[in-house]
mmCIF file with all atom_site columns, all heavy atoms in Angstrom:
data_model
loop_
_atom_site.group_PDB
_atom_site.id
_atom_site.type_symbol
_atom_site.label_atom_id
_atom_site.label_alt_id
_atom_site.label_comp_id
_atom_site.label_asym_id
_atom_site.label_entity_id
_atom_site.label_seq_id
_atom_site.pdbx_PDB_ins_code
_atom_site.Cartn_x
_atom_site.Cartn_y
_atom_site.Cartn_z
_atom_site.occupancy
_atom_site.B_iso_or_equiv
_atom_site.pdbx_formal_charge
_atom_site.auth_seq_id
_atom_site.auth_comp_id
_atom_site.auth_asym_id
_atom_site.auth_atom_id
_atom_site.pdbx_PDB_model_num
ATOM 1   N N   . HIS R 1 1  ? 17.151 -10.623 9.632  1.00 98.00 ? 18 HIS R N   1
ATOM 2   C CA  . HIS R 1 1  ? 15.900 -11.054 9.052  1.00 98.00 ? 18 HIS R CA  1
ATOM 3   C C   . HIS R 1 1  ? 15.438 -12.401 9.651  1.00 98.00 ? 18 HIS R C   1
ATOM 4   O O   . HIS R 1 1  ? 14.269 -12.579 10.052 1.00 98.00 ? 18 HIS R O   1
ATOM 5   C CB  . HIS R 1 1  ? 16.045 -11.134 7.529  1.00 98.00 ? 18 HIS R CB  1
ATOM 6   C CG  . HIS R 1 1  ? 14.768 -11.031 6.776  1.00 98.00 ? 18 HIS R CG  1
ATOM 7   N ND1 . HIS R 1 1  ? 13.804 -11.999 6.773  1.00 98.00 ? 18 HIS R ND1 1
ATOM 8   C CD2 . HIS R 1 1  ? 14.271 -10.043 5.964  1.00 98.00 ? 18 HIS R CD2 1
ATOM 9   C CE1 . HIS R 1 1  ? 12.801 -11.640 5.995  1.00 98.00 ? 18 HIS R CE1 1
ATOM 10  N NE2 . HIS R 1 1  ? 13.062 -10.435 5.482  1.00 98.00 ? 18 HIS R NE2 1
ATOM 11  N N   . LEU R 1 2  ? 16.367 -13.324 9.710  1.00 97.00 ? 19 LEU R N   1
ATOM 12  C CA  . LEU R 1 2  ? 16.032 -14.688 10.193 1.00 97.00 ? 19 LEU R CA  1
ATOM 13  C C   . LEU R 1 2  ? 15.567 -14.685 11.635 1.00 97.00 ? 19 LEU R C   1
ATOM 14  O O   . LEU R 1 2  ? 14.719 -15.473 12.035 1.00 97.00 ? 19 LEU R O   1
ATOM 15  C CB  . LEU R 1 2  ? 17.257 -15.584 10.059 1.00 97.00 ? 19 LEU R CB  1
ATOM 16  C CG  . LEU R 1 2  ? 17.636 -16.026 8.623  1.00 97.00 ? 19 LEU R CG  1
ATOM 17  C CD1 . LEU R 1 2  ? 19.003 -16.676 8.605  1.00 97.00 ? 19 LEU R CD1 1
ATOM 18  C CD2 . LEU R 1 2  ? 16.611 -16.968 8.077  1.00 97.00 ? 19 LEU R CD2 1
ATOM 19  N N   . THR R 1 3  ? 16.109 -13.803 12.447 1.00 97.00 ? 20 THR R N   1
ATOM 20  C CA  . THR R 1 3  ? 15.803 -13.761 13.886 1.00 97.00 ? 20 THR R CA  1
ATOM 21  C C   . THR R 1 3  ? 14.580 -12.911 14.183 1.00 97.00 ? 20 THR R C   1
ATOM 22  O O   . THR R 1 3  ? 14.108 -12.953 15.374 1.00 97.00 ? 20 THR R O   1
ATOM 23  C CB  . THR R 1 3  ? 17.007 -13.293 14.701 1.00 97.00 ? 20 THR R CB  1
ATOM 24  O OG1 . THR R 1 3  ? 17.467 -12.058 14.216 1.00 97.00 ? 20 THR R OG1 1
ATOM 25  C CG2 . THR R 1 3  ? 18.122 -14.321 14.655 1.00 97.00 ? 20 THR R CG2 1
ATOM 26  N N   . HIS R 1 4  ? 14.055 -12.133 13.259 1.00 97.00 ? 21 HIS R N   1
ATOM 27  C CA  . HIS R 1 4  ? 13.000 -11.265 13.596 1.00 97.00 ? 21 HIS R CA  1
ATOM 28  C C   . HIS R 1 4  ? 11.714 -11.411 12.706 1.00 97.00 ? 21 HIS R C   1
ATOM 29  O O   . HIS R 1 4  ? 10.644 -10.921 13.108 1.00 97.00 ? 21 HIS R O   1
ATOM 30  C CB  . HIS R 1 4  ? 13.457 -9.790  13.452 1.00 97.00 ? 21 HIS R CB  1
ATOM 31  C CG  . HIS R 1 4  ? 14.381 -9.382  14.524 1.00 97.00 ? 21 HIS R CG  1
ATOM 32  N ND1 . HIS R 1 4  ? 15.746 -9.567  14.414 1.00 97.00 ? 21 HIS R ND1 1
ATOM 33  C CD2 . HIS R 1 4  ? 14.209 -8.756  15.704 1.00 97.00 ? 21 HIS R CD2 1
ATOM 34  C CE1 . HIS R 1 4  ? 16.346 -9.118  15.512 1.00 97.00 ? 21 HIS R CE1 1
ATOM 35  N NE2 . HIS R 1 4  ? 15.444 -8.638  16.323 1.00 97.00 ? 21 HIS R NE2 1
ATOM 36  N N   . ILE R 1 5  ? 11.818 -12.109 11.596 1.00 98.00 ? 22 ILE R N   1
ATOM 37  C CA  . ILE R 1 5  ? 10.635 -12.280 10.739 1.00 98.00 ? 22 ILE R CA  1
ATOM 38  C C   . ILE R 1 5  ? 10.483 -13.794 10.503 1.00 98.00 ? 22 ILE R C   1
ATOM 39  O O   . ILE R 1 5  ? 11.276 -14.407 9.808  1.00 98.00 ? 22 ILE R O   1
ATOM 40  C CB  . ILE R 1 5  ? 10.806 -11.517 9.407  1.00 98.00 ? 22 ILE R CB  1
ATOM 41  C CG1 . ILE R 1 5  ? 11.079 -10.044 9.680  1.00 98.00 ? 22 ILE R CG1 1
ATOM 42  C CG2 . ILE R 1 5  ? 9.557  -11.723 8.546  1.00 98.00 ? 22 ILE R CG2 1
ATOM 43  C CD1 . ILE R 1 5  ? 11.305 -9.215  8.445  1.00 98.00 ? 22 ILE R CD1 1
ATOM 44  N N   . PRO R 1 6  ? 9.470  -14.404 11.089 1.00 98.00 ? 23 PRO R N   1
ATOM 45  C CA  . PRO R 1 6  ? 9.365  -15.865 11.122 1.00 98.00 ? 23 PRO R CA  1
ATOM 46  C C   . PRO R 1 6  ? 8.889  -16.468 9.780  1.00 98.00 ? 23 PRO R C   1
ATOM 47  O O   . PRO R 1 6  ? 8.226  -15.757 8.983  1.00 98.00 ? 23 PRO R O   1
ATOM 48  C CB  . PRO R 1 6  ? 8.361  -16.141 12.233 1.00 98.00 ? 23 PRO R CB  1
ATOM 49  C CG  . PRO R 1 6  ? 7.510  -14.910 12.249 1.00 98.00 ? 23 PRO R CG  1
ATOM 50  C CD  . PRO R 1 6  ? 8.437  -13.765 11.942 1.00 98.00 ? 23 PRO R CD  1
ATOM 51  N N   . TYR R 1 7  ? 9.155  -17.723 9.663  1.00 98.00 ? 24 TYR R N   1
ATOM 52  C CA  . TYR R 1 7  ? 8.581  -18.526 8.569  1.00 98.00 ? 24 TYR R CA  1
ATOM 53  C C   . TYR R 1 7  ? 7.219  -18.997 9.069  1.00 98.00 ? 24 TYR R C   1
ATOM 54  O O   . TYR R 1 7  ? 7.101  -19.496 10.214 1.00 98.00 ? 24 TYR R O   1
ATOM 55  C CB  . TYR R 1 7  ? 9.481  -19.702 8.325  1.00 98.00 ? 24 TYR R CB  1
ATOM 56  C CG  . TYR R 1 7  ? 9.069  -20.605 7.173  1.00 98.00 ? 24 TYR R CG  1
ATOM 57  C CD1 . TYR R 1 7  ? 9.763  -20.610 5.993  1.00 98.00 ? 24 TYR R CD1 1
ATOM 58  C CD2 . TYR R 1 7  ? 7.982  -21.484 7.291  1.00 98.00 ? 24 TYR R CD2 1
ATOM 59  C CE1 . TYR R 1 7  ? 9.379  -21.442 4.935  1.00 98.00 ? 24 TYR R CE1 1
ATOM 60  C CE2 . TYR R 1 7  ? 7.588  -22.309 6.222  1.00 98.00 ? 24 TYR R CE2 1
ATOM 61  C CZ  . TYR R 1 7  ? 8.326  -22.258 5.074  1.00 98.00 ? 24 TYR R CZ  1
ATOM 62  O OH  . TYR R 1 7  ? 7.922  -23.100 4.041  1.00 98.00 ? 24 TYR R OH  1
ATOM 63  N N   . GLU R 1 8  ? 6.191  -18.870 8.261  1.00 97.00 ? 25 GLU R N   1
ATOM 64  C CA  . GLU R 1 8  ? 4.868  -19.387 8.657  1.00 97.00 ? 25 GLU R CA  1
ATOM 65  C C   . GLU R 1 8  ? 3.924  -19.488 7.489  1.00 97.00 ? 25 GLU R C   1
ATOM 66  O O   . GLU R 1 8  ? 4.066  -18.757 6.524  1.00 97.00 ? 25 GLU R O   1
ATOM 67  C CB  . GLU R 1 8  ? 4.271  -18.541 9.808  1.00 97.00 ? 25 GLU R CB  1
ATOM 68  C CG  . GLU R 1 8  ? 4.232  -17.055 9.495  1.00 97.00 ? 25 GLU R CG  1
ATOM 69  C CD  . GLU R 1 8  ? 2.789  -16.497 9.313  1.00 97.00 ? 25 GLU R CD  1
ATOM 70  O OE1 . GLU R 1 8  ? 1.943  -17.282 8.809  1.00 97.00 ? 25 GLU R OE1 1
ATOM 71  O OE2 . GLU R 1 8  ? 2.600  -15.324 9.650  1.00 97.00 ? 25 GLU R OE2 1
ATOM 72  N N   . ASN R 1 9  ? 2.979  -20.420 7.558  1.00 96.00 ? 26 ASN R N   1
ATOM 73  C CA  . ASN R 1 9  ? 2.024  -20.685 6.495  1.00 96.00 ? 26 ASN R CA  1
ATOM 74  C C   . ASN R 1 9  ? 0.584  -20.532 6.973  1.00 96.00 ? 26 ASN R C   1
ATOM 75  O O   . ASN R 1 9  ? -0.327 -21.180 6.434  1.00 96.00 ? 26 ASN R O   1
ATOM 76  C CB  . ASN R 1 9  ? 2.217  -22.105 5.924  1.00 96.00 ? 26 ASN R CB  1
ATOM 77  C CG  . ASN R 1 9  ? 1.819  -23.196 6.936  1.00 96.00 ? 26 ASN R CG  1
ATOM 78  O OD1 . ASN R 1 9  ? 2.031  -23.018 8.141  1.00 96.00 ? 26 ASN R OD1 1
ATOM 79  N ND2 . ASN R 1 9  ? 1.287  -24.300 6.434  1.00 96.00 ? 26 ASN R ND2 1
ATOM 80  N N   . ILE R 1 10 ? 0.339  -19.706 7.952  1.00 95.00 ? 27 ILE R N   1
ATOM 81  C CA  . ILE R 1 10 ? -0.988 -19.589 8.583  1.00 95.00 ? 27 ILE R CA  1
ATOM 82  C C   . ILE R 1 10 ? -2.041 -19.055 7.607  1.00 95.00 ? 27 ILE R C   1
ATOM 83  O O   . ILE R 1 10 ? -3.196 -19.528 7.619  1.00 95.00 ? 27 ILE R O   1
ATOM 84  C CB  . ILE R 1 10 ? -0.922 -18.746 9.848  1.00 95.00 ? 27 ILE R CB  1
ATOM 85  C CG1 . ILE R 1 10 ? 0.009  -19.437 10.879 1.00 95.00 ? 27 ILE R CG1 1
ATOM 86  C CG2 . ILE R 1 10 ? -2.282 -18.562 10.457 1.00 95.00 ? 27 ILE R CG2 1
ATOM 87  C CD1 . ILE R 1 10 ? 0.315  -18.605 12.093 1.00 95.00 ? 27 ILE R CD1 1
ATOM 88  N N   . ASP R 1 11 ? -1.693 -18.142 6.760  1.00 95.00 ? 28 ASP R N   1
ATOM 89  C CA  . ASP R 1 11 ? -2.646 -17.635 5.769  1.00 95.00 ? 28 ASP R CA  1
ATOM 90  C C   . ASP R 1 11 ? -3.069 -18.757 4.814  1.00 95.00 ? 28 ASP R C   1
ATOM 91  O O   . ASP R 1 11 ? -4.258 -18.809 4.392  1.00 95.00 ? 28 ASP R O   1
ATOM 92  C CB  . ASP R 1 11 ? -2.103 -16.454 5.003  1.00 95.00 ? 28 ASP R CB  1
ATOM 93  C CG  . ASP R 1 11 ? -2.198 -15.155 5.771  1.00 95.00 ? 28 ASP R CG  1
ATOM 94  O OD1 . ASP R 1 11 ? -2.833 -15.141 6.803  1.00 95.00 ? 28 ASP R OD1 1
ATOM 95  O OD2 . ASP R 1 11 ? -1.611 -14.152 5.283  1.00 95.00 ? 28 ASP R OD2 1
ATOM 96  N N   . VAL R 1 12 ? -2.137 -19.616 4.475  1.00 96.00 ? 29 VAL R N   1
ATOM 97  C CA  . VAL R 1 12 ? -2.480 -20.739 3.577  1.00 96.00 ? 29 VAL R CA  1
ATOM 98  C C   . VAL R 1 12 ? -3.507 -21.661 4.279  1.00 96.00 ? 29 VAL R C   1
ATOM 99  O O   . VAL R 1 12 ? -4.484 -22.090 3.657  1.00 96.00 ? 29 VAL R O   1
ATOM 100 C CB  . VAL R 1 12 ? -1.213 -21.551 3.233  1.00 96.00 ? 29 VAL R CB  1
ATOM 101 C CG1 . VAL R 1 12 ? -1.584 -22.814 2.411  1.00 96.00 ? 29 VAL R CG1 1
ATOM 102 C CG2 . VAL R 1 12 ? -0.278 -20.678 2.419  1.00 96.00 ? 29 VAL R CG2 1
ATOM 103 N N   . LEU R 1 13 ? -3.326 -21.927 5.591  1.00 93.00 ? 30 LEU R N   1
ATOM 104 C CA  . LEU R 1 13 ? -4.263 -22.720 6.321  1.00 93.00 ? 30 LEU R CA  1
ATOM 105 C C   . LEU R 1 13 ? -5.633 -22.060 6.366  1.00 93.00 ? 30 LEU R C   1
ATOM 106 O O   . LEU R 1 13 ? -6.678 -22.745 6.381  1.00 93.00 ? 30 LEU R O   1
ATOM 107 C CB  . LEU R 1 13 ? -3.753 -22.955 7.721  1.00 93.00 ? 30 LEU R CB  1
ATOM 108 C CG  . LEU R 1 13 ? -2.549 -23.884 7.885  1.00 93.00 ? 30 LEU R CG  1
ATOM 109 C CD1 . LEU R 1 13 ? -2.230 -24.047 9.355  1.00 93.00 ? 30 LEU R CD1 1
ATOM 110 C CD2 . LEU R 1 13 ? -2.793 -25.240 7.266  1.00 93.00 ? 30 LEU R CD2 1
ATOM 111 N N   . ASN R 1 14 ? -5.645 -20.725 6.413  1.00 92.00 ? 31 ASN R N   1
ATOM 112 C CA  . ASN R 1 14 ? -6.900 -20.001 6.477  1.00 92.00 ? 31 ASN R CA  1
ATOM 113 C C   . ASN R 1 14 ? -7.536 -19.816 5.078  1.00 92.00 ? 31 ASN R C   1
ATOM 114 O O   . ASN R 1 14 ? -8.554 -19.161 4.967  1.00 92.00 ? 31 ASN R O   1
ATOM 115 C CB  . ASN R 1 14 ? -6.641 -18.596 7.063  1.00 92.00 ? 31 ASN R CB  1
ATOM 116 C CG  . ASN R 1 14 ? -6.799 -18.614 8.568  1.00 92.00 ? 31 ASN R CG  1
ATOM 117 O OD1 . ASN R 1 14 ? -7.651 -19.303 9.119  1.00 92.00 ? 31 ASN R OD1 1
ATOM 118 N ND2 . ASN R 1 14 ? -5.955 -17.865 9.254  1.00 92.00 ? 31 ASN R ND2 1
ATOM 119 N N   . ARG R 1 15 ? -6.851 -20.390 4.080  1.00 92.00 ? 32 ARG R N   1
ATOM 120 C CA  . ARG R 1 15 ? -7.321 -20.258 2.698  1.00 92.00 ? 32 ARG R CA  1
ATOM 121 C C   . ARG R 1 15 ? -7.403 -18.786 2.262  1.00 92.00 ? 32 ARG R C   1
ATOM 122 O O   . ARG R 1 15 ? -8.275 -18.374 1.472  1.00 92.00 ? 32 ARG R O   1
ATOM 123 C CB  . ARG R 1 15 ? -8.687 -20.974 2.481  1.00 92.00 ? 32 ARG R CB  1
ATOM 124 C CG  . ARG R 1 15 ? -8.688 -22.420 2.861  1.00 92.00 ? 32 ARG R CG  1
ATOM 125 C CD  . ARG R 1 15 ? -7.700 -23.219 2.024  1.00 92.00 ? 32 ARG R CD  1
ATOM 126 N NE  . ARG R 1 15 ? -7.844 -24.635 2.216  1.00 92.00 ? 32 ARG R NE  1
ATOM 127 C CZ  . ARG R 1 15 ? -7.056 -25.394 2.974  1.00 92.00 ? 32 ARG R CZ  1
ATOM 128 N NH1 . ARG R 1 15 ? -6.021 -24.817 3.600  1.00 92.00 ? 32 ARG R NH1 1
ATOM 129 N NH2 . ARG R 1 15 ? -7.231 -26.696 3.084  1.00 92.00 ? 32 ARG R NH2 1
ATOM 130 N N   . LYS R 1 16 ? -6.475 -17.985 2.815  1.00 93.00 ? 33 LYS R N   1
ATOM 131 C CA  . LYS R 1 16 ? -6.403 -16.602 2.425  1.00 93.00 ? 33 LYS R CA  1
ATOM 132 C C   . LYS R 1 16 ? -5.341 -16.465 1.297  1.00 93.00 ? 33 LYS R C   1
ATOM 133 O O   . LYS R 1 16 ? -4.192 -16.843 1.474  1.00 93.00 ? 33 LYS R O   1
ATOM 134 C CB  . LYS R 1 16 ? -5.964 -15.747 3.632  1.00 93.00 ? 33 LYS R CB  1
ATOM 135 C CG  . LYS R 1 16 ? -5.866 -14.273 3.328  1.00 93.00 ? 33 LYS R CG  1
ATOM 136 C CD  . LYS R 1 16 ? -5.508 -13.469 4.596  1.00 93.00 ? 33 LYS R CD  1
ATOM 137 C CE  . LYS R 1 16 ? -5.393 -11.967 4.266  1.00 93.00 ? 33 LYS R CE  1
ATOM 138 N NZ  . LYS R 1 16 ? -5.054 -11.208 5.458  1.00 93.00 ? 33 LYS R NZ  1
ATOM 139 N N   . PRO R 1 17 ? -5.730 -15.949 0.131  1.00 95.00 ? 34 PRO R N   1
ATOM 140 C CA  . PRO R 1 17 ? -4.803 -15.876 -0.950 1.00 95.00 ? 34 PRO R CA  1
ATOM 141 C C   . PRO R 1 17 ? -3.533 -15.122 -0.621 1.00 95.00 ? 34 PRO R C   1
ATOM 142 O O   . PRO R 1 17 ? -3.573 -14.097 0.080  1.00 95.00 ? 34 PRO R O   1
ATOM 143 C CB  . PRO R 1 17 ? -5.620 -15.125 -2.043 1.00 95.00 ? 34 PRO R CB  1
ATOM 144 C CG  . PRO R 1 17 ? -7.062 -15.386 -1.694 1.00 95.00 ? 34 PRO R CG  1
ATOM 145 C CD  . PRO R 1 17 ? -7.095 -15.459 -0.206 1.00 95.00 ? 34 PRO R CD  1
ATOM 146 N N   . ILE R 1 18 ? -2.442 -15.619 -1.112 1.00 97.00 ? 35 ILE R N   1
ATOM 147 C CA  . ILE R 1 18 ? -1.125 -15.018 -0.875 1.00 97.00 ? 35 ILE R CA  1
ATOM 148 C C   . ILE R 1 18 ? -0.810 -14.031 -1.961 1.00 97.00 ? 35 ILE R C   1
ATOM 149 O O   . ILE R 1 18 ? -0.855 -14.370 -3.140 1.00 97.00 ? 35 ILE R O   1
ATOM 150 C CB  . ILE R 1 18 ? -0.021 -16.084 -0.811 1.00 97.00 ? 35 ILE R CB  1
ATOM 151 C CG1 . ILE R 1 18 ? -0.297 -17.097 0.293  1.00 97.00 ? 35 ILE R CG1 1
ATOM 152 C CG2 . ILE R 1 18 ? 1.354  -15.447 -0.617 1.00 97.00 ? 35 ILE R CG2 1
ATOM 153 C CD1 . ILE R 1 18 ? -0.283 -16.527 1.699  1.00 97.00 ? 35 ILE R CD1 1
ATOM 154 N N   . SER R 1 19 ? -0.519 -12.799 -1.582 1.00 97.00 ? 36 SER R N   1
ATOM 155 C CA  . SER R 1 19 ? -0.091 -11.785 -2.578 1.00 97.00 ? 36 SER R CA  1
ATOM 156 C C   . SER R 1 19 ? 1.426  -11.620 -2.529 1.00 97.00 ? 36 SER R C   1
ATOM 157 O O   . SER R 1 19 ? 1.997  -11.535 -1.408 1.00 97.00 ? 36 SER R O   1
ATOM 158 C CB  . SER R 1 19 ? -0.788 -10.424 -2.279 1.00 97.00 ? 36 SER R CB  1
ATOM 159 O OG  . SER R 1 19 ? -0.216 -9.423  -3.132 1.00 97.00 ? 36 SER R OG  1
ATOM 160 N N   . LEU R 1 20 ? 2.036  -11.625 -3.672 1.00 98.00 ? 37 LEU R N   1
ATOM 161 C CA  . LEU R 1 20 ? 3.484  -11.406 -3.778 1.00 98.00 ? 37 LEU R CA  1
ATOM 162 C C   . LEU R 1 20 ? 3.829  -9.995  -4.204 1.00 98.00 ? 37 LEU R C   1
ATOM 163 O O   . LEU R 1 20 ? 4.998  -9.660  -4.512 1.00 98.00 ? 37 LEU R O   1
ATOM 164 C CB  . LEU R 1 20 ? 4.100  -12.410 -4.732 1.00 98.00 ? 37 LEU R CB  1
ATOM 165 C CG  . LEU R 1 20 ? 3.889  -13.878 -4.365 1.00 98.00 ? 37 LEU R CG  1
ATOM 166 C CD1 . LEU R 1 20 ? 4.610  -14.797 -5.370 1.00 98.00 ? 37 LEU R CD1 1
ATOM 167 C CD2 . LEU R 1 20 ? 4.345  -14.198 -2.941 1.00 98.00 ? 37 LEU R CD2 1
ATOM 168 N N   . GLU R 1 21 ? 2.821  -9.107  -4.238 1.00 98.00 ? 38 GLU R N   1
ATOM 169 C CA  . GLU R 1 21 ? 3.084  -7.700  -4.604 1.00 98.00 ? 38 GLU R CA  1
ATOM 170 C C   . GLU R 1 21 ? 3.929  -7.051  -3.487 1.00 98.00 ? 38 GLU R C   1
ATOM 171 O O   . GLU R 1 21 ? 3.749  -7.317  -2.297 1.00 98.00 ? 38 GLU R O   1
ATOM 172 C CB  . GLU R 1 21 ? 1.775  -6.946  -4.741 1.00 98.00 ? 38 GLU R CB  1
ATOM 173 C CG  . GLU R 1 21 ? 0.920  -7.412  -5.926 1.00 98.00 ? 38 GLU R CG  1
ATOM 174 C CD  . GLU R 1 21 ? 1.588  -7.110  -7.240 1.00 98.00 ? 38 GLU R CD  1
ATOM 175 O OE1 . GLU R 1 21 ? 2.273  -6.091  -7.337 1.00 98.00 ? 38 GLU R OE1 1
ATOM 176 O OE2 . GLU R 1 21 ? 1.413  -7.923  -8.192 1.00 98.00 ? 38 GLU R OE2 1
ATOM 177 N N   . SER R 1 22 ? 4.856  -6.205  -3.877 1.00 98.00 ? 39 SER R N   1
ATOM 178 C CA  . SER R 1 22 ? 5.824  -5.670  -2.947 1.00 98.00 ? 39 SER R CA  1
ATOM 179 C C   . SER R 1 22 ? 5.200  -4.960  -1.760 1.00 98.00 ? 39 SER R C   1
ATOM 180 O O   . SER R 1 22 ? 5.630  -5.127  -0.595 1.00 98.00 ? 39 SER R O   1
ATOM 181 C CB  . SER R 1 22 ? 6.795  -4.715  -3.647 1.00 98.00 ? 39 SER R CB  1
ATOM 182 O OG  . SER R 1 22 ? 6.088  -3.621  -4.257 1.00 98.00 ? 39 SER R OG  1
ATOM 183 N N   . GLN R 1 23 ? 4.163  -4.166  -1.992 1.00 97.00 ? 40 GLN R N   1
ATOM 184 C CA  . GLN R 1 23 ? 3.546  -3.410  -0.891 1.00 97.00 ? 40 GLN R CA  1
ATOM 185 C C   . GLN R 1 23 ? 2.724  -4.317  -0.003 1.00 97.00 ? 40 GLN R C   1
ATOM 186 O O   . GLN R 1 23 ? 2.635  -4.134  1.211  1.00 97.00 ? 40 GLN R O   1
ATOM 187 C CB  . GLN R 1 23 ? 2.678  -2.279  -1.453 1.00 97.00 ? 40 GLN R CB  1
ATOM 188 C CG  . GLN R 1 23 ? 3.437  -1.235  -2.240 1.00 97.00 ? 40 GLN R CG  1
ATOM 189 C CD  . GLN R 1 23 ? 4.653  -0.665  -1.530 1.00 97.00 ? 40 GLN R CD  1
ATOM 190 O OE1 . GLN R 1 23 ? 4.563  -0.357  -0.330 1.00 97.00 ? 40 GLN R OE1 1
ATOM 191 N NE2 . GLN R 1 23 ? 5.773  -0.524  -2.218 1.00 97.00 ? 40 GLN R NE2 1
ATOM 192 N N   . ASP R 1 24 ? 2.093  -5.375  -0.580 1.00 98.00 ? 41 ASP R N   1
ATOM 193 C CA  . ASP R 1 24 ? 1.351  -6.328  0.249  1.00 98.00 ? 41 ASP R CA  1
ATOM 194 C C   . ASP R 1 24 ? 2.301  -7.138  1.132  1.00 98.00 ? 41 ASP R C   1
ATOM 195 O O   . ASP R 1 24 ? 1.989  -7.395  2.309  1.00 98.00 ? 41 ASP R O   1
ATOM 196 C CB  . ASP R 1 24 ? 0.569  -7.284  -0.663 1.00 98.00 ? 41 ASP R CB  1
ATOM 197 C CG  . ASP R 1 24 ? -0.585 -6.584  -1.399 1.00 98.00 ? 41 ASP R CG  1
ATOM 198 O OD1 . ASP R 1 24 ? -1.034 -5.550  -0.874 1.00 98.00 ? 41 ASP R OD1 1
ATOM 199 O OD2 . ASP R 1 24 ? -0.989 -7.065  -2.453 1.00 98.00 ? 41 ASP R OD2 1
ATOM 200 N N   . LEU R 1 25 ? 3.444  -7.485  0.605  1.00 98.00 ? 42 LEU R N   1
ATOM 201 C CA  . LEU R 1 25 ? 4.465  -8.186  1.456  1.00 98.00 ? 42 LEU R CA  1
ATOM 202 C C   . LEU R 1 25 ? 4.897  -7.288  2.614  1.00 98.00 ? 42 LEU R C   1
ATOM 203 O O   . LEU R 1 25 ? 4.994  -7.759  3.741  1.00 98.00 ? 42 LEU R O   1
ATOM 204 C CB  . LEU R 1 25 ? 5.644  -8.571  0.567  1.00 98.00 ? 42 LEU R CB  1
ATOM 205 C CG  . LEU R 1 25 ? 5.420  -9.612  -0.514 1.00 98.00 ? 42 LEU R CG  1
ATOM 206 C CD1 . LEU R 1 25 ? 6.705  -9.778  -1.351 1.00 98.00 ? 42 LEU R CD1 1
ATOM 207 C CD2 . LEU R 1 25 ? 5.004  -10.935 0.063  1.00 98.00 ? 42 LEU R CD2 1
ATOM 208 N N   . PHE R 1 26 ? 5.152  -6.055  2.303  1.00 98.00 ? 43 PHE R N   1
ATOM 209 C CA  . PHE R 1 26 ? 5.577  -5.122  3.326  1.00 98.00 ? 43 PHE R CA  1
ATOM 210 C C   . PHE R 1 26 ? 4.498  -4.948  4.403  1.00 98.00 ? 43 PHE R C   1
ATOM 211 O O   . PHE R 1 26 ? 4.779  -4.979  5.593  1.00 98.00 ? 43 PHE R O   1
ATOM 212 C CB  . PHE R 1 26 ? 5.902  -3.763  2.708  1.00 98.00 ? 43 PHE R CB  1
ATOM 213 C CG  . PHE R 1 26 ? 6.492  -2.762  3.699  1.00 98.00 ? 43 PHE R CG  1
ATOM 214 C CD1 . PHE R 1 26 ? 7.856  -2.704  3.896  1.00 98.00 ? 43 PHE R CD1 1
ATOM 215 C CD2 . PHE R 1 26 ? 5.638  -1.877  4.373  1.00 98.00 ? 43 PHE R CD2 1
ATOM 216 C CE1 . PHE R 1 26 ? 8.378  -1.805  4.812  1.00 98.00 ? 43 PHE R CE1 1
ATOM 217 C CE2 . PHE R 1 26 ? 6.183  -0.961  5.285  1.00 98.00 ? 43 PHE R CE2 1
ATOM 218 C CZ  . PHE R 1 26 ? 7.554  -0.932  5.488  1.00 98.00 ? 43 PHE R CZ  1
#
């Protein structure tokens, strides 16, 4: 997971709401 899925906050910078729903995360 650590080597293939990066940490990033680009949606926050774009003021795009973050969804924590399981299917949205997927």
Side-chain angles (χ1 to χ4, degrees):
H18 204 289
L19 288 169
T20 53
H21 290 85
I22 304 178
Y24 183 107
E25 52 112 327
N26 68 325
I27 297 172
D28 279 352
V29 175
L30 291 181
N31 271 322
R32 303 300 188 257
K33 181 177 180 180
I35 300 296
S36 172
L37 301 182
E38 294 294 327
S39 60
Q40 299 307 318
D41 291 335
L42 294 174
F43 185 89

